Amino acid sequence: MESAYPGMKVLLANNLMMAYNQAEAAQPVFAFVEDGFTKLPEFEMMMALFSAMDTRWVSVMDTQGATPARKSSPLLDVGAGIFELTKSDHPSQFAQYLDMMLNAPRRSARATASAAPARPSATAGSVKKLILIGSSTGGVEALRNVLVGFPFDCPPTLIVQHTGKNFGSGLVSLLDRICPARVRAAEDGITLEPGHVYIAAGQRRHMGITSRKPLRLRMKEGPDISGHTPSVDALFTSAVPYGKDVVATILTGMGQDGARGLLELRKAGAKTFAQDEKSSVVYGMPRVAWEMGAAQQQVPLTRMANTLLQASKV
């Protein structure tokens, strides 16, 4: 291997968290991924990181004839350029895919995963509008698509993303690389500011908004709400007193978390949206929100950022 590919460095990881941390630090050109990893719900974080770094990857199955994860996972159904190998394949087959990935055309500028984009400072001032977002399965990539379109001085934006324990900080750093605004983890007592995106993910506390101004984040322990902690419903219902100043949406995801809270927000005068079926990886949460009348409009993912920003100007 070393003689065929001089200068190559090989990293090994025996769990998904280790693999994510190593990939984030090393920015690999390619990766072989155990098929079992791809079946974990947290693998969408890995896919988003690979996409951000323009890393090619191959799924390796245990045995010939095994059912590949992409046949049963909606996340992998949308993955383009994913190849599948088995451990029983001849080494030359692995080398063939390695050559294919090394020689494949890449984006004109390889993403630099180590540094956030240079940002001017947003002007501090009273908060006039809030943007609230809830997402679950498929939401990591959906959030990347939305936040890349947010300007450095966007309204304070609060996000609840369902993800596995310990992956919250990775999600924050991943989104902070591509978003012109500043992305940070949700913490109790933070004053909401324009040009900031606050994310609750992978932690055992619900995110909400305080009832006094200046508006601050409130992180509160408690039982699951709508089956989740943090819960989208918990965030949305906490913002009902400020309904007329709120723009809220539900993105792709399983279940119904957020639908009830979105309906309460709409009744309170908020502008409410849901991702449409065609662009959703899993049309669960958005479907429930739409069918119960919580969302005023269904929006394709490609138009979501502009829709939210325009609604926050009204």
Side-chain angles (χ1 to χ4, degrees), residues 11 61 93 100 105 122 151 160 231-232 267 274 311:
L11 300 175
M61 293 177 288
Q93 188 76 355
M100 185 184 302
V160 169
S231 164
V232 182
K267 290 178 178 178

Side-chain angles (χ1 to χ4, degrees), residues 136-158:
S136 186
T137 308
V140 174
E141 188 64 22
L143 289 173
R144 286 186 65 230
N145 278 273
V146 171
L147 293 184
V148 75
F150 273 35
F152 76 94
D153 58 350
C154 67
T157 300
L158 286 65

Side-chain angles (χ1 to χ4, degrees), residues 65-213:
T67 301
R70 68 182 309 176
K71 298 297 184 183
S72 58
S73 170
L75 292 171
L76 300 184
D77 283 342
V78 299
I82 301 172
F83 306 102
E84 287 154 356
L85 298 170
T86 67
K87 290 181 177 179
S88 61
D89 285 336
H90 192 274
S92 62
Q93 188 76 355
F94 284 81
Q96 177 184 341
Y97 279 102
L98 190 55
D99 284 331
M100 185 184 302
M101 288 188 287
L102 286 172
N103 295 318
R106 313 194 72 76
R107 292 199 290 261
S108 57
R110 182 169 171 78
T112 54
S114 58
R119 308 176 175 98
S121 298
T123 302
S126 60
V127 173
K128 297 179 180 179
K129 293 287 185 179
L130 295 172
I131 294 178
L132 310 181
I133 301 174
S135 53
S136 186
T137 308
V140 174
E141 188 64 22
L143 289 173
R144 286 186 65 230
N145 278 273
V146 171
L147 293 184
V148 75
F150 273 35
F152 76 94
D153 58 350
C154 67
T157 300
L158 286 65
I159 298 173
V160 169
Q161 164 67 40
H162 300 159
T163 191
K165 182 181 178 181
N166 301 324
F167 279 88
S169 60
L171 177 62
V172 170
S173 62
L174 177 66
L175 295 176
D176 192 49
R177 293 188 199 105
I178 54 92
C179 184
R182 297 183 183 276
V183 181
R184 61 181 300 183
E187 297 177 22
D188 190 52
I190 294 178
T191 301
L192 301 184
E193 299 179 62
H196 286 70
V197 176
Y198 308 92
I199 296 182
Q203 54 182 290
R204 293 300 303 169
R205 294 188 299 172
H206 296 293
M207 176 167 66
I209 303 171
T210 58
S211 57
R212 296 180 181 179
K213 293 187 177 181

